[in-house]
Amino acid sequence: MKIKTLSLLVAMAVTANANANTTEPTEGVYLGVFGDYYDADWQNHRDMAGLDVEESTGWGAEIGYRFDKYWSGRLEYADMDFDLGGISNGSLDAERYGIDGLYHFDGGPFYGLVGIKKMNLDVISDNTFANVGAGVRHYFTDHLFVNAEAAVYQGLEAGFTDVGGKIGINYSFGSTSKTEEVAPAPAPVVAEAPQDSDKDGVVDSEDKCANTPMTDAVDASGCTLYETKEDKVSLLVRFPHDDATFSQQYVDDINAVAKFLKEHKNADVVIEGHASAVGDADYNQKLSERRAKNVAEKLVDMGIDSMRITTVGYGEERLKNPANTLKAHAENRRVEAHVSSKEKVKVKR
């Protein structure tokens, strides 16, 4: 119940400021009267068993002082009339008075408050409350304004937690701070920007290469930047003992060299044949040449011009592994090729 009531009061405060202007007094005294609502829930009060004190409606008056743009203080008096429940019916008269400090956010209409209140009641003992809340003001003129606010009250003696709200009308005797109308500054004179026709970041007066593509990075003269890009591929084909025929497992590797040569028209390839040191050296020389020639013929079959292919046989002159073992001999029976290409390519932005 208290949460719903507090929410309603806050909504009332925000609605009250829907069309608020920003003229706020910066200092001075103000007087006001207000309608007051207080939601209590004092059941089985210690001074009278079975007595339930419920909500109150009433009126009040306040006097305040605005110290500066952000801070003000006030004294408050409220005449209250509580409904009674439980074993009693009717009403209970009470008076509330106290002091509040207010902080005005950004010096504007919304404010927070904190204070201390004394509640004097008929029949039952008095109670002191600490309160905290929020509110909003709406100025109709430079001095006449209404305010709406909601607060939570915490009993310091009986321990009750209540909520309350009020809507009031006030008159301020303080001085106001008006916002002076400032004539708009003359439009600055903007110098015409230098032309850059091809949008490469170099103005036309300094651009030595007009109409460079938008994708190209350029130098200080507006000309396309290039870099040397190196690409390469290698080939290793192994052969059985005393055989120049390579296994089908190497076809994909040979095809990778063919693809590289097709993509890099400026590159040529040298196919190097090798043999192991087993057997006659002259025989191994010819065997290495046949191995290189067979790989070259495969490249031609794959679409590579024979003029771009050179074959050479080294026999047993360049052993990869000089050991006299079966493993070493297998490593030496091979064809190798290393192809590289260097090209100038544009640097992209």
Side-chain angles (χ1 to χ4, degrees):
M1 176 62 182
K2 285 184 169 59
I3 297 301
K4 292 182 179 178
T5 302
L6 183 60
S7 300
L8 176 61
L9 292 170
V10 171
M12 291 168 59
V14 173
T15 303
N17 196 55
N19 298 310
N21 59 43
T22 58
T23 303
E24 289 273 348
T26 55
E27 61 179 69
V29 175
Y30 67 89
L31 299 174
V33 293
F34 56 86
D36 185 73
Y37 173 81
Y38 192 95
D39 186 9
D41 189 14
W42 307 348
Q43 298 180 2
N44 294 318
H45 195 279
R46 65 189 181 190
D47 292 341
M48 186 177 292
L51 176 66
D52 294 340
V53 180
E54 300 176 349
E55 62 185 7
S56 163
T57 55
W59 65 274
E62 63 185 35
I63 179 172
Y65 186 85
R66 185 75 173 254
F67 298 101
D68 56 27
K69 180 179 178 180
Y70 299 103
W71 293 99
S72 62
R74 72 184 180 197
L75 298 174
E76 176 195 88
Y77 169 82
D79 184 80
M80 310 175 74
D81 185 18
F82 285 99
D83 293 333
L84 296 179
I87 64 172
S88 301
N89 290 314
S91 62
L92 174 65
D93 291 331
E95 294 179 333
R96 183 183 76 240
Y97 54 88
I99 186 170
D100 291 306
L102 286 69
Y103 178 78
H104 303 266
F105 299 104
D106 292 326
F110 292 96
Y111 59 89
L113 63 95
V114 62
I116 191 88
K117 300 293 169 21
K118 188 73 173 181
M119 195 86 71
N120 292 339
L121 304 104
D122 292 344
V123 183
I124 58 180
S125 59
D126 300 342
N127 196 359
T128 302
F129 289 83
N131 63 282
V132 62
V136 62
R137 292 178 172 180
H138 173 77
Y139 279 80
F140 293 107
T141 69
D142 289 345
H143 298 281
L144 184 65
F145 66 92
V146 294
N147 70 307
E149 64 184 51
V152 176
Y153 294 81
Q154 178 60 49
L156 303 180
E157 297 164 356
F160 299 120
T161 302
D162 305 330
V163 296
K166 62 183 185 181
I167 297 177
I169 185 166
N170 305 262
Y171 187 85
S172 172
F173 299 91
S175 60
T176 59
S177 175
K178 292 181 177 292
T179 302
E180 295 184 2
E181 294 186 2
V182 180
V189 178
V190 180
E192 184 177 352
Q195 284 289 102
D196 180 12
S197 302
D198 55 6
K199 310 299 181 186
D200 61 359
V202 180
V203 297
D204 291 351
S205 61
E206 300 178 6
D207 198 336
K208 296 181 180 179
C209 299
N211 302 318
T212 51
M214 290 288 292
T215 56
D216 292 1
V218 298
D219 58 19
S221 298
C223 298
T224 298
L225 287 172
Y226 289 87
E227 63 181 355
T228 300
K229 181 180 179 182
E230 182 176 7
D231 203 359
K232 57 186 177 181
V233 66
S234 296
L235 176 67
L236 176 63
V237 180
R238 298 194 185 279
F239 293 83
H241 175 67
D242 193 21
D243 197 339
T245 304
F246 56 82
S247 170
Q248 283 295 113
Q249 74 183 80
Y250 295 106
V251 171
D252 288 343
D253 296 335
I254 298 172
N255 187 58
V257 176
K259 182 179 178 182
F260 183 91
L261 291 170
K262 291 175 183 178
E263 293 174 352
H264 300 82
K265 302 298 184 181
N266 65 330
D268 296 332
V269 61
V270 177
I271 307 296
E272 302 176 354
H274 300 270
S276 65
V278 178
D280 181 71
D282 290 339
Y283 180 82
N284 288 338
Q285 175 64 34
K286 294 178 181 179
L287 179 60
S288 68
E289 293 172 0
R290 293 202 310 273
R291 287 170 174 168
K293 182 179 178 181
N294 286 346
V295 173
E297 289 176 350
K298 188 63 176 178
L299 284 173
V300 172
D301 292 343
M302 291 178 173
I304 304 303
D305 189 340
S306 61
M307 298 297 294
R308 300 175 63 191
I309 304 172
T310 301
T311 61
V312 58
Y314 289 105
E316 56 188 68
E317 294 178 7
R318 298 186 178 183
L319 299 177
K320 198 172 189 70
N321 188 338
N324 187 21
T325 64
L326 293 177
K327 180 179 178 181
H329 298 329
E331 291 180 15
N332 293 327
R333 300 189 298 264
R334 71 196 189 279
V335 159
E336 290 187 33
H338 304 283
V339 191
S340 64
S341 174
K342 292 183 178 180
E343 298 178 354
K344 288 181 66 176
V345 296
K346 293 180 177 182
V347 178
K348 300 300 181 182
R349 291 190 188 182

